[in-house]
């Protein structure tokens, strides 16, 4: 009797798959990983700049506070605090939005970022009025320093989260 299985041939395996070049899915994955890495590096760099802004504004505020404690010149204090606020605002916002603001418009803009009326109706008014005060007049410097500190902390911390 003739065995039908005897006519079967051995299985021929295809050649092994090489590791190069990778399949298109691996190329796509590589591009996605590179894009994610670039995006992450950009976000971290941006965040570190914003954190540096927070640290620098805190240091500048402490310098102003110490110098005011030594000399007690309130108009100087108000001018320095206003300068610090303006430099910080220009760093965080488009310059054309902030640079031209003066007087009531400047105070209203500061209030809009803080979400209060402490600049237009509270101790923040000293920023625009201190230059016109008599030299011997006492002011609530601590309230102004505290308000500026609160504003700086809020806007620089919010900016560092972005």
């Amino acid at each position: 009797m003739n065995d039908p299985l005897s006519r079967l041939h051995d299985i021929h395996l295809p050649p092994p798959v090489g590791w190069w070049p990778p399949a298109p899915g691996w190329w796509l994955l590589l591009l996605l990983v590179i894009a994610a890495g670039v995006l992450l590096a950009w976000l971290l760099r941006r965040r570190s700049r914003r954190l540096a802004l927070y640290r620098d504004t805190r240091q500048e505020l402490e310098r102003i506070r110490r110098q005011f404690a030594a000399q007690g010149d309130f108009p100087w204090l108000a001018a320095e605090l206003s300068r610090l606020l303006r430099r910080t605002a220009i760093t965080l916002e488009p310059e054309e939005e902030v640079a031209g603001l003066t007087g009531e418009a400047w105070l209203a803009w500061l209030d809009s970022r803080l979400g209060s009326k402490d600049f237009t109706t509270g101790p923040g008014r000293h920023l625009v009025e201190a230059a016109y005060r008599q030299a011997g007049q006492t002011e609530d410097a601590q309230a102004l320093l505290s308000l500026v500190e609160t504003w700086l902390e809020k806007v620089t911390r919010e900016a560092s989260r972005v």
Side-chain angles (χ1 to χ4, degrees):
M1 177 166 186
N2 228 354
D3 186 14
L5 295 178
S6 65
R7 288 179 287 161
L8 291 178
H9 296 289
D10 203 12
I11 297 175
H12 294 281
L13 296 176
V17 176
W19 65 274
W20 194 261
W26 288 109
W27 287 108
L28 182 60
L29 180 62
L30 178 66
L31 287 175
L32 288 174
V33 167
I34 290 172
V38 168
L39 178 64
L40 182 63
W42 179 75
L43 289 172
L44 289 174
R45 184 169 186 246
R46 184 175 171 189
R47 179 171 160 72
S48 75
R49 281 184 172 175
R50 300 295 176 126
L51 289 174
L53 174 65
Y54 174 74
R55 184 187 62 245
D56 293 347
T57 57
R58 295 289 300 178
Q59 289 173 352
E60 181 68 12
L61 183 62
E62 288 309 310
R63 182 197 64 80
I64 292 169
R65 191 181 304 239
R66 284 191 308 272
Q67 197 164 343
F68 173 72
Q71 69 187 24
D73 183 6
F74 189 76
W76 174 88
L77 174 68
E80 286 296 306
L81 291 176
S82 188
R83 245 182 247 113
L84 176 60
L85 290 170
R86 189 169 301 276
R87 283 195 330 256
T88 304
I90 288 173
T91 302
L92 295 173
E93 302 289 336
E95 187 173 347
E96 50 282 346
E97 180 182 331
V98 179
L101 296 175
T102 58
E104 295 298 320
W106 171 236
L107 296 179
W109 188 87
L110 291 170
D111 274 341
S112 72
R113 296 306 179 263
L114 190 58
S116 74
K117 297 284 185 193
D118 291 335
F119 282 98
T120 52
T121 61
R125 289 209 56 77
H126 295 305
L127 294 176
V128 294
E129 295 175 352
Y132 307 107
R133 302 280 182 179
Q134 294 177 357
Q137 209 168 359
T138 60
E139 305 296 339
D140 191 5
Q142 292 309 315
L144 180 59
L145 281 164
S146 176
L147 177 60
V148 169
E149 182 175 17
T150 301
W151 189 90
L152 288 171
E153 185 168 333
K154 182 176 192 285
V155 298
T156 55
R157 285 211 185 263
E158 283 177 0
S160 68
R161 288 188 199 123
V162 175

